[in-house]
Amino acid sequence: MTSSSPSTLHSWLLASRPKTLAAAAVPVVVGSAVAYGQDLFAPGPALAALVGAGLIQIGTNFANDYFDAKSGADNENRLGPTRAVQAGLLTPNAMKWATALTFLAAALVGLYLIGIGGWPILIIGIASILSGIAYTGGPYPLGYNGLGDLFVFIFFGLIAVTATHYVQALSFSLEALIASIPIGLLSTAILIVNNYRDVDTDRVAGKNTLAVRLGKAVTRKQYAGVVLAAYLVPVVQVAAGLSQAWVLLPLVSLPLAMKCIRALGELEGSALNALLARTAGLLTVFGVLYAIGFAL
């Protein structure tokens, strides 16, 4: 092993952004928990969904690293964690190939799920990979045109949870659809913090995220509304008789959510990186408690 090997390995680990993988794993855990509560849990499809979701997340991270560096959105003024291509740790060509190979690996995992779930999973898989690339690449990058929040809510909430349930139950579930809403909202909250932190640099780079379009004051209200709406969903579920009271377990983490909401109004610049991690932690805690509630 050469002395450069650890550095190269660390660079790829950095580019994969392991802290973002909660947004890929939590929806699968919740979707599987809904299936388990319905006596429909299937370990094979559940594991494949987890691996596939993780690969799509990493592929999207690689694509973002490549396209943001290419467009100039990532530069020396960046406040967030180091980006591998922009920092010169990895070449653009290496990142482009890594993106393609990671999405190819996700597609291979998807073949197994397509064999189980049929054409709906084929459509979801293709849409997920194309959207992962189109988030920062292509002729109309979603993240550059204020559509990133909607993208995250749909793909890391609605689709991820319901598709995970579908490949196990092989049928649509209203309960899984409802469960996908708070997960999508809290996943979106992670992106809101990221874009709030980068408002000034994104504006200069011409990256018109929703935070850039709304401004910081409105974005703080958006974050609070999204987080609190996530906690409202289980309450509505139980009040409407759609689920048992166990799904109220996530309310235990409400104090943590309130601390995150207050922090967004208090922190600025690179200090927001800690809130980004705390919001990802909030998603994880909420998702695990929610999953336990459905399983019980």
Side-chain angles (χ1 to χ4, degrees):
M1 181 180 292
T2 66
S3 60
S4 63
S5 295
S7 177
T8 301
L9 178 62
H10 177 73
S11 297
W12 283 113
L13 183 63
L14 187 72
S16 70
R17 296 181 229 168
K19 291 183 179 180
T20 68
L21 295 182
V26 170
V28 176
V29 171
V30 171
S32 296
V34 175
Y36 182 88
Q38 298 171 343
D39 294 325
L40 296 170
F41 176 71
L47 179 60
L50 182 63
V51 173
L55 288 169
I56 290 175
Q57 175 69 64
I58 293 171
T60 301
N61 291 341
F62 285 167
N64 290 354
D65 201 304
Y66 171 78
F67 286 115
D68 278 346
K70 184 178 179 181
S71 69
D74 283 345
N75 53 51
E76 64 278 2
N77 297 318
R78 175 173 171 77
L79 297 172
T82 302
R83 291 289 182 88
V85 173
Q86 183 274 322
L89 301 176
L90 297 168
T91 67
N93 191 56
M95 189 61 71
K96 183 164 61 174
W97 274 103
T99 300
L101 291 173
T102 304
F103 280 134
L104 176 60
L108 293 176
V109 174
L111 290 177
Y112 167 70
L113 294 173
I114 291 168
I116 295 171
W119 65 265
I121 303 303
L122 172 63
I123 294 173
I124 289 171
I126 292 173
S128 297
I129 291 174
L130 291 179
S131 295
I133 296 171
Y135 183 75
T136 47
Y140 193 80
L142 301 174
Y144 285 52
N145 290 282
L147 296 174
D149 302 58
L150 181 62
F151 160 82
V152 169
F153 177 71
I154 291 174
F155 283 93
F156 289 88
L158 304 186
I159 289 178
V161 175
T162 57
T164 297
H165 176 273
Y166 182 84
V167 294
Q168 298 175 67
L170 300 181
S171 62
F172 174 79
S173 168
L174 177 60
E175 194 170 30
L177 178 61
I178 294 171
S180 72
I181 295 173
I183 301 305
L185 289 170
L186 291 176
S187 296
T188 303
I190 298 173
L191 180 65
I192 292 172
V193 177
N194 182 83
N195 291 345
Y196 180 86
R197 180 199 64 207
D198 295 340
V199 162
D200 295 331
T201 54
D202 282 348
R203 184 180 290 115
V204 172
K207 186 175 181 180
N208 294 315
T209 63
L210 189 58
V212 169
R213 293 170 184 263
L214 295 177
K216 286 191 172 183
V218 177
T219 300
R220 286 194 294 268
K221 294 177 181 178
Q222 180 200 10
Y223 179 79
V226 163
V227 170
L228 293 176
Y231 282 84
L232 184 60
V233 173
V235 176
V236 173
Q237 277 179 266
V238 175
L242 298 173
S243 300
Q244 296 182 20
W246 286 111
V247 300
L248 295 174
L249 276 175
L251 296 184
V252 173
S253 64
L254 186 57
L256 176 60
M258 298 306 297
K259 288 182 180 179
C260 288
I261 291 171
R262 286 194 297 271
L264 189 62
E266 299 169 353
L267 302 175
E268 286 290 338
S270 58
L272 286 163
N273 292 330
L275 179 58
L276 192 66
R278 285 166 59 185
T279 305
L282 179 65
L283 168 65
T284 302
V285 171
F286 183 106
V288 169
L289 292 172
Y290 206 30
I292 293 172
F294 279 112
L296 292 175

